[in-house]
Each structure stands twice: as structure tokens, then as C-alpha cells.
Amino acid sequence: MAEVYLRRLTRWQAEQQREGMANLYVTAYRTALGAEYRDREEFLHRFQQHVRHDGFDMVVADAVGLVGCAYGYRLERAGAWWADFTVEESPQMKELTASGRVFALTELMVLPGYRLRGVATRLGELLLSRHPQDLVVAGVHRDRSEEGINDTLRAWGWKELPASGPAADATVHVVWARGPVR
């Protein structure tokens, strides 16, 4: 197997690579037959929105072409991101959000043939190396839970934040966090 190299992309480079990212997404998640186009278009729409955020940061893994990527962005100080999740925000989480010290790991994907080889860990380490003192969060769709992301985040020392409120049992996303959370 070819050696895997990691590199950081600028916002401009990420936008230039969007078609490659969409291809990687569809292949990494093995979408249902016939759903590739819809899933690809939904990813491209989300990616277009994500790349516009302040503090957008992205790393890719290359071997013979793209084999993985991780990206995210700083959350807006107003805290709108939290509204999509049934997580009780502690005063510390609100303070970190308001001070611009929360980074959302938005996407982490690795082609199946490169999984369990440390590629995801290397991608995560490089991406998050710029955020050692920040609260880093990831919203994981419950449908993706069985794909190993929970085990990966747990192995990295992340903690699942407890859901709260009347919709806690019906929540679609689980929020994981790394950093200064009580």
C-alpha cells in the first residue's frame, strides 16, 4: 500500500478540491445504490456552507489520490450551533463559545481500505494541533454511530456530552467533546 501523506489546505485550496471531497465522501460512506447523486449533492451543499465559516481549517490524506480528510471551523460567538443539539450548555461552554474558543470537528472520513491504519488519528491530530486549549466538539448522527466514530472519539479521549431536555431520548445527534468541559 502506498505511503499516506498529510497536508493542510487553505480555504481556497479546499474550495478547489470540493469535487474530490464529494467523491471521497460517497466512497468513504458507501451510500446506498442509487443514492450517490443525492448524497453527493447534499455533501457539496454542506461543504460549501462549512468552508465559509471563520476559522475553517482542513487537512487531507493523500496516497495515490485522496484517501481521507478532516475539517472543521470555529463556532460563531452567538452560539447558534448548539441550538441543533439537545445538550445542556454549561456556563463554561457558553463562555468558551462567546470567547471564540470552540472548534467544531465537522467531518472526518477515510476510505475503507485505509481504515484501522492510523490515518484518522493522524488527520485528527494535525487538524486539532492548532486548538490545544480550545473546547473541540463533534456532532455525530446516530446513524453513523455504528461506523466506529464513537469508538474512535472515545479512544482519542473525547467524552460524550449528556443529552438533556424533553427531546433527549429522540435526539438524532450525539455531541462529543475534547478539552475544558466540566
Side-chain angles (χ1 to χ4, degrees):
M1 183 164 290
E3 189 169 350
V4 176
Y5 298 94
L6 303 185
R7 62 188 169 99
R8 196 173 292 279
L9 298 184
T10 65
R11 183 186 314 264
W12 181 83
Q13 290 170 320
E15 289 174 336
Q16 298 302 310
Q17 292 287 324
R18 69 180 174 269
E19 293 297 324
M21 292 298 117
N23 292 339
L24 176 64
Y25 178 84
V26 170
T27 306
Y29 290 123
R30 295 182 184 167
T31 59
L33 190 60
E36 294 95 347
Y37 178 78
R38 185 198 70 232
D39 292 346
R40 188 176 196 289
E41 292 303 306
E42 288 174 2
F43 171 80
L44 283 169
H45 177 73
R46 281 193 318 273
F47 185 72
Q48 181 181 11
Q49 300 301 314
H50 293 159
V51 79
R52 292 178 181 169
H53 283 275
D54 288 336
F56 177 83
D57 198 6
M58 181 175 190
V59 294
V60 295
D62 280 305
V64 182
L66 290 174
V67 299
C69 88
Y71 72 81
Y73 54 86
R74 287 204 176 277
L75 295 186
E76 295 175 11
R77 294 175 189 258
W81 186 86
W82 296 105
D84 292 337
F85 303 99
T86 57
V87 174
E88 183 178 332
E89 284 183 86
S90 69
Q92 184 183 25
M93 291 165 61
K94 289 178 183 177
E95 181 181 322
L96 289 167
T97 303
S99 65
R101 293 205 34 231
V102 179
F103 184 83
L105 172 61
T106 310
E107 191 66 62
L108 173 65
M109 55 186 154
V110 176
L111 290 179
Y114 288 85
R115 292 182 186 157
L116 303 176
R117 296 171 187 243
V119 175
T121 299
R122 289 176 52 209
L123 284 166
E125 287 173 351
L126 180 57
L127 179 68
L128 301 179
S129 66
R130 292 184 176 176
H131 309 281
Q133 302 302 318
D134 292 345
L135 171 61
V136 181
V137 294
V140 178
H141 197 280
R142 285 212 187 270
D143 290 349
R144 292 264 155 80
S145 299
E146 63 272 356
E147 293 178 11
I149 188 65
N150 290 343
D151 294 335
T152 300
L153 293 173
R154 192 174 292 111
W156 291 353
W158 291 46
K159 292 184 172 52
E160 183 177 343
L161 299 180
S164 66
D169 292 335
T171 186
V172 177
H173 292 92
V174 177
V175 178
W176 289 80
R178 181 211 79 180
V181 176
R182 289 185 211 133

